[in-house]
Amino acid sequence: MKKTQPKIVSFAATVDAEHSSPDPAKLVAGRPVLTTLNHYADPAQQFFSGVWSSTEGKWRIQYAEHEFCALLEGQVRLEGEDGSVAEFRAGDSFVIPAGFNGTWETVVACRKLYVIYVPAPPQPKVRAATGKKNVRRKRAKTRARRR
């Protein structure tokens, strides 16, 4: 059976826009409207890419994902919990690593290309069928047989 070739995804294709606003509990300033045009999502739902835009406003963010951003229009300011500040304008590219906590401020209405990778949750460590107690018992039996 022949395997189906994946199709190349063009951002020129029309996709449905998703409009939203930051959670009111996270909103710091303004009334930003967010628009997402998600052009691609892998079957495992760990990798996404598309176009995102925002009107002016500021809200708290907590990143569990890694995100690459290429700012096409506008100006944004990200402030970390540690007080670090990063400002970007149209033409700039940057990465927000998983674990970043702080605020996102859209200073001038912006539009960006995004690529998001969501790491798989850590798998619980599986103990071998024979735990430490069983290994000790087997060693004791082996020693007893040798005597």
Side-chain angles (χ1 to χ4, degrees):
M1 182 194 254
K2 188 175 181 180
K3 191 174 178 181
T4 305
Q5 175 73 25
K7 303 290 184 216
I8 300 298
V9 176
S10 170
F11 282 26
T14 303
V15 295
D16 293 334
E18 297 175 30
H19 302 284
S20 62
S21 297
D23 178 344
K26 295 180 179 182
L27 194 58
V28 176
R31 300 182 83 182
V33 175
L34 317 176
T35 303
T36 304
L37 301 167
N38 198 58
H39 285 272
Y40 179 78
D42 78 313
Q45 297 294 294
Q46 286 184 269
F47 184 85
F48 305 88
S49 60
V51 180
W52 180 88
S53 61
S54 169
T55 59
E56 291 85 358
K58 183 177 183 178
W59 59 97
R60 284 183 285 287
I61 55 175
Q62 293 182 310
Y63 269 67
E65 66 278 13
H66 301 279
E67 181 177 9
F68 167 81
C69 304
L71 205 57
L72 303 171
E73 300 172 2
Q75 180 182 351
V76 300
R77 181 176 196 262
L78 286 83
E79 185 172 339
E81 295 183 316
D82 62 358
S84 61
V85 175
E87 292 193 25
F88 302 100
R89 298 176 186 276
D92 292 339
S93 298
F94 55 98
V95 170
I96 304 171
F100 177 84
N101 295 316
T103 59
W104 174 288
E105 181 178 5
T106 299
V107 178
V108 175
C110 71
R111 190 167 67 94
K112 69 178 181 177
L113 296 176
Y114 67 86
V115 177
I116 294 174
Y117 172 70
V118 181
Q123 298 298 316
K125 291 183 180 180
V126 179
R127 265 185 106 160
T130 57
K132 287 182 179 179
K133 288 182 181 179
N134 289 338
V135 170
R136 286 185 198 130
R137 282 188 207 131
K138 285 182 181 179
R139 285 182 188 156
K141 286 181 182 177
T142 303
R143 284 186 199 123
R145 275 190 242 139
R146 288 183 186 160
R147 291 184 193 159

